[in-house]
Structure formats: C-alpha cells, structure tokens
Amino acid sequence: MSRNNLLDAKALQSKVHGDQVKASEKWLGYLLGPAGALLLNAVLASYLNVYYTDVLKLTSVWGGVFLTVFPIISKVLDAITNLVMGYLIDHTHTSQGKARPWLLLSAPLLAISGILLFTVPSGSTTVQVIWVMLSYNLFYSFAYTIFNMSHNLMVPLSTRDITQRGGLSVFNQISTIMISGILVALIFPMAIMPAIGVDKSKWIMLMSVLSIMALPLTLLEYYFTKERVTEETQEEAEKTVSFMTQLKAIFTDKYMIIIYVYFLIYTFGSSIKNMSLVYFCNYVLGTYNDGKTQSLLSMIGGIPMGIGIFAVWPIARKIGKRNATLAGFILYSIGSAICWMFSENLTVMLIGQFIKNIGGLPCAYVFMALLADVLDHLEWKTGFRSDGTAMSIYNIIAVAIVGVCQGVFNGLLSHAGYIAPEIVNGQTVAAMQSAAVQNVITFGFVGLETITGIVMAILLIFLNVEKGLDKKQKEIKERHAQKQ
C-alpha cells in the first residue's frame, strides 16, 4: 500500500510528539484508550457462550454439533483474515505509521458488530444459526482482528528504549487486567448477571452500550499513540520485504518459535478457564447467579493483579523478564493444583487462586515487552522488520485456539448432559447438573492450568532472548544511521 496522504490531515495526526514517552501517552493511549474494546472482548470471552447456551438455548441444536463445530470452522476464516491483516500492515506506509491507521477502521466496526452479536432474531432456529455465524465472524474475523493486531503492535513499535517499553507494557496490561477484570470479574457477577438473568432484551441493551463505548475510546488510543520505531525506518519501509521471506525468517528463528508455542499453550489453558469460570461458580462452588461466589473468587484471587502494577516491573528488571515469568509459572501451577484438589471448598479455593495469580503476574504484565524483544532480535538477525507478519501469526494462534477451546468445551458440556436454565414465573431457574458435567467444568477451570503452567515454565528455560539485546539494538540503530 503506497503512502497515504489522507492521514496527513491535521485532524488525523497523533497528539503525541517527541522521542520520549510522556504521561499522556501512557494514561490515554495505553490505559484508557484500549479499555473499551478490551472490556467488550473480556465480556464476550466470559459471557458470549453463556448467551448462546442459556439465553438462546443452542446447546442441543443439531444434536449438540452446532456449538461444537461452528466456532472451530469460523477460525479458518479468522486465520485467513489475520494473514491478510499482517500483509496489509507491513505494506501500509503513512505519516501516522503502519499499524495505528487501522485503529481508525476498527473503531466503528467494533461498535456495529458487537451489537449484532446479541440482536439475534427470535423464531426460526435456522435464522438464528445463520445470524450467529455471520455476526460471530464479523466481530472476530474482521472487527476485532483489525483492532487487536494494530493494538498489540503499539508497544513493540512505540520505542526501542527497554525501560519505556516496559512501562508501556504494564500500562497496556492494566487495561486488560484491572479495568476489564474489575468490571467483568466483580461487578458483572455481583450486580449485572443476577439482574439480567436470561432476559434477552436486557442482554441486548447491556451489550449495545458496551459496544458503543468502544468507538470513542478506540479513537482515543489512535490519537495518543506514536510509532517511533516505524519512523526510524520510514524510508526503508517503502521497500517492503516479501511476505514469504518474512515467514521464512520467523519460522527459522528459535526465539519466535518458542514464544509462539508458549503463547499457544497459555492461550489454550486460559481460554478454557475463562469459559469455565461462570459455569464453575454457578454449578460447582456456588449457585446460579448468586451474586457473590464469582465476585468473591475473582476479588480475592485478583488482588495480586493490583499489587503487581507496582512490583512486577522492578522484579523483572532485576532478574530478567524471562526469569521472573518462569518462576511465576511455578507458583501458578501450585495455586491451580490446590484449587483442583479442593474445588468445592471456598476458603481453600480463595487461597489457591491468590497463589496462582501471584504466579501469573509476570506473564500478565511483561509479555508484550518480551515479545518486543524477540521482534528486535529478529530485526537484528535479518536486517528487516516483520511486525505485521509476526503479529498475524500471533493473532492466528490467539483466535484459533479460542475457537477450538469454545468448540471443545461446548462439546464436552453437551456430551456430559448439560441442562440450560429456564424462566419460570419471571424468574431464572437453573437445573441441577450431573457429576459428569461438574467434572468437565472443574477440570476446565482449575485442572488444565495446573498442567499448562508446568509446561510453560519448562519452555521458558530456552527463551534467553534478553541476553545481549542492548548490543543488538545498538547495532540496529547504527545500520539505520548509515543508510540515511
């Protein structure tokens, strides 16, 4: 894509100026700006499947096959759009960068597709199935793919300064963990879910508000971010390296392969956990929408995430991002194992969740900085940036695994005999679930992450990309200086 002069207009220029990261960039571009889209996505991650199973009652459609197969098949399209977006980003050359301009397009798409996800017509099952498939793919394969790829590249492209990049990574994750976490994990189960139950009209109203909120906030992220790394290589960027050359570079680099496998395993475990959370609190640890079990579990278990804002980066700087994350996953597995052994004991569950989330702090707050280090290493090794292509593979893993997890989880629920709640005399009444259903839910929420935590700790032993990174970054800057 050739240089686009449209973005040279003053109204579309970044509000961030200068080579150093300032407070406004951190607070508006990396904390508040992404909050709308990330909140919407977090709600969907926890409750969209509940909407399908409990409100639309699609669990039994086609003998349980529909909710099992359609999320998986949808990810084929999602994978294609991710590859296309990676190509487009790497071939976008504008005065506002190569990834940021796509935030502008994602803003209205997020709002529209988010609303369509829930305005499923009543009546014919066939019409509902078609609507669900189309709206699901419009959101995940297009709107959120465009946002997520451009958003995730903001930290790697913001600066080469390791300290500033680390600070932006922390602020970036605060939006995900604190803002969306507090609302989705605490306020939703405590106040919102008991109020809306399985009332479709209330679901539509709620999700429409959240979808519309994403639009202005995403624009805020666009205006208060800046691609300094892209500006360094602006003239060289016009001569883009071919897609196949970038793919070869990515898949022949051991650090890229390790971080992809690491991310795949992490996403698999956390996706199953997120989908299982509501069901676990409703049918294993507490009662349906009791307004306290999920809130208490999330609040006590999530306290370390608040502490981590101040503690994790100093620790990571002292012992290294890789070492901090590796040690964290050992605690992560211990906490999950405690929860797995005592899944019906609220007190022990709270202790286990607290330990687990302390262990998860480094992964939560420094991962994007670690990925940025790998991208810099790849540039040093190859002589060119592969941000869009690398992020397209990253996103394919994210969306494909989420789709697979949703299909697998729904398939296991259906096979075990899950029974959706009903509205009786205006009240939501949940059925008693069998031991088989409870076992599926329990393993999904606490069992699986016991295993994945150990696997990730072992894998991280081999990710020593931080060694000699300062020297590599210095060489990269010298190369660019020589070409100017």
Side-chain angles (χ1 to χ4, degrees):
M1 188 177 293
S2 61
R3 178 179 290 275
N4 188 345
N5 295 321
L6 177 63
L7 294 177
D8 290 336
K10 186 175 181 180
L12 296 177
Q13 291 180 9
S14 174
K15 305 300 180 183
V16 175
H17 306 287
D19 295 332
Q20 301 300 312
V21 175
K22 300 296 178 62
S24 60
E25 188 173 355
K26 292 180 179 180
W27 288 96
L28 299 179
Y30 288 85
L31 177 63
L32 184 58
L38 294 177
L39 172 59
L40 176 60
N41 185 59
V43 172
L44 294 177
S46 294
Y47 294 104
L48 180 59
N49 204 65
V50 175
Y51 185 72
Y52 288 161
T53 61
D54 293 7
V55 180
L56 300 182
K57 304 187 189 306
L58 299 176
T59 308
S60 60
V61 173
W62 301 348
V65 172
F66 174 65
L67 283 186
T68 302
V69 175
F70 118 82
I72 299 175
I73 294 178
S74 296
K75 297 312 170 184
V76 175
L77 175 60
D78 211 344
I80 295 172
T81 58
N82 272 276
L83 286 174
V84 171
M85 273 306 303
Y87 177 87
L88 290 175
I89 287 175
D90 278 330
H91 287 74
T92 297
H93 311 297
T94 77
S95 61
Q96 300 306 306
K98 62 182 182 179
R100 284 183 56 248
W102 294 98
L103 289 171
L104 284 175
L105 177 61
S106 72
L109 285 178
L110 286 168
I112 295 169
S113 59
I115 294 171
L116 291 176
L117 276 172
F118 290 85
T119 53
V120 181
S122 301
S124 170
T125 300
T126 301
V127 173
Q128 288 187 318
V129 165
I130 294 173
W131 190 285
V132 165
M133 290 191 294
L134 291 177
S135 61
Y136 184 92
N137 281 291
L138 179 60
F139 182 85
Y140 284 107
S141 298
F142 292 94
Y144 197 72
T145 289
I146 295 171
F147 166 79
N148 202 37
M149 286 194 64
S150 49
H151 163 73
N152 283 332
L153 280 171
M154 288 302 97
V155 171
L157 293 176
S158 61
T159 177
R160 291 193 193 276
D161 186 289
I162 295 176
T163 301
Q164 292 183 357
R165 179 186 283 174
L168 291 179
S169 180
V170 170
F171 268 80
N172 193 53
Q173 287 304 102
I174 292 174
S175 288
T176 304
I177 296 167
M178 298 300 294
I179 296 178
S180 61
I182 290 173
L183 290 172
V184 177
L186 299 181
I187 297 177
F188 260 71
M190 183 183 297
I192 296 178
M193 295 309 296
I196 67 176
V198 291
D199 188 320
K200 184 179 177 181
S201 62
K202 293 179 180 178
W203 276 87
I204 293 173
M205 183 180 299
L206 169 67
M207 297 310 301
S208 295
V209 171
L210 293 181
S211 298
I212 293 170
M213 283 174 53
L215 196 158
L217 289 175
T218 302
L219 292 178
L220 192 66
E221 179 177 6
Y222 168 79
Y223 280 112
F224 286 92
T225 49
K226 182 179 177 67
E227 294 185 25
R228 296 175 182 84
V229 174
T230 303
E231 291 176 357
E232 286 179 14
T233 59
Q234 191 65 61
E235 292 183 4
E236 302 167 43
E238 297 292 346
K239 300 178 181 179
T240 307
V241 178
S242 73
F243 178 71
M244 293 307 299
T245 300
Q246 293 184 55
L247 274 183
K248 182 179 178 180
I250 288 168
F251 285 108
T252 55
D253 183 79
K254 67 176 182 179
Y255 294 137
M256 287 301 303
I257 294 173
I258 290 171
I259 207 161
Y260 281 149
V261 174
Y262 159 86
F263 181 63
L264 186 153
I265 295 170
Y266 176 78
T267 305
F268 184 81
S270 60
S271 295
I272 293 287
K273 184 274 303 277
N274 289 338
M275 280 184 283
S276 304
L277 170 61
V278 178
Y279 299 90
F280 181 79
C281 294
N282 285 344
Y283 299 113
V284 178
L285 192 60
T287 56
Y288 197 86
N289 284 347
D290 58 24
K292 59 182 181 180
T293 303
Q294 186 179 340
S295 297
L296 187 60
L297 192 67
S298 300
M299 179 176 64
I300 300 299
I303 287 175
M305 292 300 173
I307 300 173
I309 298 174
F310 308 100
V312 70
W313 189 246
I315 293 174
R317 288 186 64 188
K318 184 174 183 179
I319 67 174
K321 296 185 283 292
R322 186 276 305 265
N323 293 337
T325 307
L326 191 158
F329 275 123
I330 296 174
L331 281 178
Y332 189 89
S333 293
I334 292 172
S336 296
I338 291 172
C339 293
W340 195 6
M341 290 186 290
F342 302 94
S343 60
E344 296 185 16
N345 186 313
L346 180 59
T347 301
V348 178
M349 279 291 300
L350 294 176
I351 294 172
Q353 286 290 294
F354 187 87
I355 295 172
K356 174 198 162 186
N357 283 314
I358 287 179
L361 282 172
C363 174
Y365 285 114
V366 305
F367 175 76
M368 291 310 298
L370 196 58
L371 176 61
D373 291 348
V374 175
L375 288 172
D376 278 359
H377 157 79
L378 190 64
E379 181 185 6
W380 168 81
K381 178 181 175 182
T382 63
F384 53 82
R385 298 289 298 186
S386 302
D387 304 295
T389 303
M391 192 56 64
S392 69
I393 305 301
Y394 170 94
N395 259 29
I396 287 173
I397 293 171
V399 299
I401 292 300
V402 170
V404 169
C405 289
Q406 186 175 1
V408 169
F409 183 69
N410 285 330
L412 291 173
L413 280 184
S414 178
H415 180 73
Y418 177 77
I419 304 171
E422 300 283 349
I423 293 182
V424 179
N425 297 325
Q427 300 294 320
T428 301
V429 179
M432 291 291 294
Q433 304 295 342
S434 67
V437 172
Q438 291 180 329
N439 288 336
V440 166
I441 294 170
T442 301
F443 179 75
F445 183 61
V446 292
L448 182 60
E449 288 193 318
T450 303
I451 300 169
T452 59
I454 296 172
V455 174
M456 287 184 288
I458 295 172
L459 193 62
L460 283 166
I461 293 173
F462 305 98
L463 189 66
N464 59 336
V465 67
E466 294 164 277
K467 184 178 180 180
L469 185 63
D470 288 343
K471 182 179 178 181
K472 292 177 182 178
Q473 289 180 329
K474 183 179 179 181
E475 289 183 19
I476 292 171
K477 290 182 178 181
E478 289 174 352
R479 291 177 196 169
H480 295 317
Q482 291 173 0
K483 292 179 180 180
Q484 290 178 353

